[in-house]
Amino acid sequence: MGSFSIWHWLIVLVLIGLPLIFVLRAPPAGSNRFGDIPPPMSFTEAISSFFQNYANFSGRASRSEFWYSYLFILIVGIVVVIVDAVLNNEIVSSIWNLAILLPTLAMTTRRLHDINRSGWHQLLAGLFPIGTIALIVWYCKKSDDTVTMSEIERVFK
C-alpha cells in the first residue's frame, strides 16, 4: 500500500488537472466566430443535415440537430447489432461505425462551434471523467446567441 509517489501524483494531475484547464477557461468574448445561429430542426431535417454535411467541420449545429442525429445513430446502432447477432458476425456494425465516424466528428465539431468553443475540445472525452462530463454539459448548453459580425455589418449598411 504505502504512500503516493511522484508518478501517482503526475497521473492524478494529468487526469484531473489538465482537463480542468480547458473546462474552466471561458469561451472567447464577443461575437460567435463560427457563423450565424443555426435554426432548430425536426428529426428528419436533422438526419438530412447529418448526411448532407458529411465532412463539413465549419459552421454551427443546433442542439436539436445534434441530439436528433445521435438518437438516429443509437436506433440504427441497435438494429445493426441485432442484425450482427442474427448473422453471427460483426461486419455490418463495423461498416456502419466506419460510415458514421467522419460525419459524427463533423457534427460534434459544429455543435461545439455553436457554443463558441473549438472543435478540438472533443479530445477532452479521452480524459475521463472530467473531460467527458464537461463535453456532455457543453452539448446540452444553449446556443451562443451573441451578435455575429454579419449582423453588425447589416446594421451599418
Side-chain angles (χ1 to χ4, degrees), residues 17-124:
L18 185 64
L20 283 176
I21 292 171
F22 293 102
V23 170
L24 297 177
R25 191 175 65 197
S31 62
N32 190 314
R33 62 191 191 269
F34 297 108
D36 292 330
I37 298 172
M41 296 186 178
S42 68
F43 184 76
T44 54
E45 291 172 334
I47 304 311
S48 174
S49 174
F50 177 74
F51 287 110
Q52 285 175 353
N53 294 314
Y54 194 87
N56 181 12
F57 288 86
S58 62
R60 296 165 67 174
S62 64
R63 281 189 292 183
S64 58
E65 177 183 357
F66 179 81
W67 289 112
Y68 280 144
S69 297
Y70 264 99
L71 177 64
F72 172 75
I73 290 169
L74 177 72
I75 291 170
V76 172
I78 291 170
V79 170
V80 165
V81 167
I82 292 170
V83 168
D84 277 346
V86 169
L87 297 176
N88 201 19
N89 64 24
E90 295 179 0
I91 293 173
V92 179
S93 64
S94 298
I95 292 170
W96 170 249
N97 289 331
L98 188 61
I100 65 166
L101 175 65
L102 192 59
T104 303
L105 290 173
M107 179 193 51
T108 305
T109 299
R110 291 192 317 272
R111 178 68 199 126
L112 288 171
H113 287 176
D114 193 39
I115 61 167
N116 210 13
R117 301 263 182 189
S118 170
W120 288 102
H121 280 97
Q122 292 180 65
L123 296 175
L124 287 174

